[in-house]
Each structure stands twice: as C-alpha cells, then as structure tokens.
Amino acid sequence: MTSATIELDHRFADALPELAVDWAASPAPTPAVVALNEPLAEELGIDVAWLRSAAGIAVLAGNAVPDGARPVAMGYAGHQFGNYSPRLGDGRALLLGEVLDAEGRLRDVHLKGSGRTPFARGGDGRATLGPMLREYLIAEALHALGVPTTRSLAVVTTGETVARTGPEPGAILTRVATSHLRVGTFEYARWLEDGANLEPLVRHALERHHPDGDDSARPALTLLRHTVEVQAVLIAQWMLVGFVHGVMNTDNMTISGESIDFGPCAFMDRFDPATVFSSIDHAGRYAYGNQPAVAQWNLARLAEALLPAIDEDRDTAVALATEALEGFVDRYQRAWSDGMAGKLGLPPDSPGNSALFDGLVSLQTRARADHTSTYRALASVLRGDSMALGALFPEHVLEIGDWSTSWQGALGDADRGAVAEGMDAVNPLYVPRNHLVEAALASAVDGEFAAFGSLLDLVTDPYVERAGRRAETGPAPDGFDSGYQTFCGT
Ligand code: AMP
Ligand code: MG
C-alpha cells in the first residue's frame, strides 16, 4: 500500500539512545528535486506524486519531519586509513527513521547533507550536488549489477551555495539502507560507557539483519560470523565487477554487507590491482587489489570491539573471534570463484577453474586490458569473432589465444551460443566509467541534467546492448585515468 507521507519508525533511536542524538536538519531555502527513484519509492510504499509535491520535497530537504518520526544523528567511531577516531558520527546526516517496505522489511531512510550536527567537528554539515549525484548513480549501478548496496531515493538541491574548492550547489541525498549500522558503530559502543551499549546494539543488529538467527548462546559471535560472511561475499562482488570503493574506513563498512558511502570510488577500466583514485590515498591502502585484505583488517576491528560481548573470559573470546575471522578467506575465495565461473560460463567446481582464473587475471594485469570489455569479448569469441579480444590484448595476442584455447577446452561440448548468452547475462556492457561520470556530473552542476539521466538509464540496465551507445562500452581515452582522481572533499 502506498501512502501520502512516509510512516517512519524510530527503533534505532529507541533501542540505543546513547548512540543517537535527537536532531533537526538545517532549513534548505529553496529545495528542488533533481533525481527521484520512482521504482524504489514504490518498493518502499511511498506515493511518488506526494514525494514530488511541496510536502514530499520538504521531507527530502529536511524542512519537514513526517508525523511521528524522530530524526537522529547516529554516533559511530572509525579507523580512518588505519588511525582510530573515537568519535566521528553523522556530522552532516540524519537518520529520519525506519520504513516498512512492500515486502515487510525494515529499511532506514537517511538524509546526507542536511546540516551540521553535534558530530560535525570542523565540517560545514553540507553536501554538494556533484558528489551526491555520484553516490546516487554508483549505488543504483551497483544495485543493477546485483551487488548489495545502500540505495538512492532522491537528490534535492537546497538553493544554497556551498564553498568547496569553489562555490558549489548544495544538495541532499536521501539514502535507503537495510541499516546504517557500521563496524564503527560497534567500535563506538565498545568505548562508550564501558561498553554498556554493546549487548543492546548486538541484539538490535541481529533483529534487523538476522531475525531468525539469534538462538545461540553467543549472539555477538553470531553477529561477527554473519558480518564476516556478508562482507566476504560483498568484496568478492566488488572485485568481480572491478569496483574500487576508495575509502574503506571502518565507519564506511556496514554490518548488513551493503556497500555504503561512496566518495572517491570508481570502476576500473584498465586492469591493475594497484588502481586507486582517491586524492588522499597516497599509499594505495584502498587500492583495488587490497580490498579483500582491508576488509579482513576491518572485520578484525569489529571482532575486537565485540570481544567483551563474546565471552567474559578474554582468551576464550579471542579464540572464538579468531576462528570466525578465519572464515573470511574461504568464503571470499568461494564467492569469487563462483562469480568467475559464472562470468566465464564454466561449471563452478571444475578442477581446472582455479588455474584458468589466475591465468586470465595475470594476463589482464600484464596487458592492462579493459576489465568490463574483456568478458563480453570472450563471449564474442564463442560466437566466432575474436577481433574484440585481440584488440584488448594487442601485445599478448598469442598468450590470450592460448588461454582461450584452454578455456574452450574446459567448456567441453557445451553449446557455444548458449554459453555466450549466459555470459552476457552476467557480464555488463555498461558500467559508470570515470570519464562518463565526470562529464555527466559536470553538466549537472551546470544545470543540465540530460547526460546524467542518460547515463543513469544505461548503467541501471547494464547487460542489454543499446543502439547508438557503443562509445560508452569502452575505456576512457588514453591518459584520462592517470590524471583522474575523485576527491574526498565531498
Ligand atoms: P565520509 O568521508 O563521508 O565517510 O565522512 C567521514 C566523517 O566526516 C563522518 O563522520 C562525516 O559525518 C564527517 N563529514 C564529512 N563531511 C562533512 C561535512 N561537510 N560536515 C560535517 N561532517 C562531515
Ligand atoms: Mg562515511
């Protein structure tokens, strides 16, 4: 049922008052909707016409609070580039509350860019149009690729000008998540008031994410195991689509296993494990190839925070947590291998798979071949056309030819046309490539939204070829990536 308002619960605020600060958004002078996700609104049971009305826009801009809602800034800590900050929190964001979606699941509705909060430290509490549209686009693209992620309901401009490197239009993103609980939320609870909030937080998290899974004697260990599992699967998905998150601090890692907080993120064009786009990541800590190890490091911080809730006896707690953390590698490997098998049209458990996958990744790395195009080109080989593949590996033609022969051997007598079709159904043609995103955002910031809409349309239906859009299937012109950075000053 859709309703002409948003009916918001306040379960987090009620359950964890010490981790939430009741707060109101700063008023936005002249809010206007620039992006609205109608299918998502419907999924949430929110009436689209109402959302576009003055009353709906007032909620999206933080100028009005739906009846019964209780917006809060959430407290959390975080390891940022390895350094611990005991108190970060929503410095420019608010959890409006939780909505029951059409399938009966509880989803958070959150405003990002809604003004300073008690967690703002030196920040202005604002967000700007380019980065909020980037987050909108990347989240929806990941979702279309089947990668777990927070979603984007809307972007509104506020009518204010915000100072960044220059004047920028102010904007607010309405984000939807299965929850905004982060590794950093648990780190915060661990160090606040002697950890008194830890057990209520664990209970709340399990209720939100695993309503059937809390019959064990050790709920904190159950939660850790679940988080290891969902994060291992998530990172494998990022690796398979060539996604670089860019700022995997523990405050940007969810308990739900959804991708969150896209700042200096990007899809990689030319394959290189060292790929990093963030202007502040000088050491490459969050480079593409480091993501699985960083996720494990972050999960170890979660385990540390949870220790006193796992067992009173520290040695017992450490042993149990360590065992849970060790599950990451196998789970990650399995998710990645299953994904690679799907991308290459192979049965998941063939004995030769692992050598084939490693061979391809090694060749991709040496040739710096475009990640996304490679898998579509391989499907073309099965249809009798090797041109595209050769063009991607111009200096490694013989090697990719040998690899392809082994791969086709592994396909056995499977019908080539059917395998190619199956591959095309899981390997995207269109991802939000950096140069396309930059161009779309630049014109949006100038008030021209056609390119943004057109790119959004493409990347949210990424598998089916569109007439006249061939140029968007290829990498940026030479030289673009080497100078490309996305900035954290969002
Ligand atoms: P992020 O890099 O977006 O994950 O943010 C890291 C931390 O900085 C979080 O605590 C944010 O709330 C805070 N933050 C980022 N930008 C601002 C801003 N303009 N004003 C206030 N707080 C901010
Ligand atoms: Mg963040």
Side-chain angles (χ1 to χ4, degrees), residues 2 20 56 87 124 170 187 193 252 281 292 323 348 401:
T2 59
R87 193 169 188 269
D124 61 4
E187 294 180 287
E193 297 176 19
N252 293 336
D281 191 1
E323 192 192 343

Side-chain angles (χ1 to χ4, degrees), residues 76 182 251-252 261:
Y76 51 86
R182 308 153 189 262
D251 52 305
N252 293 336
D261 268 355

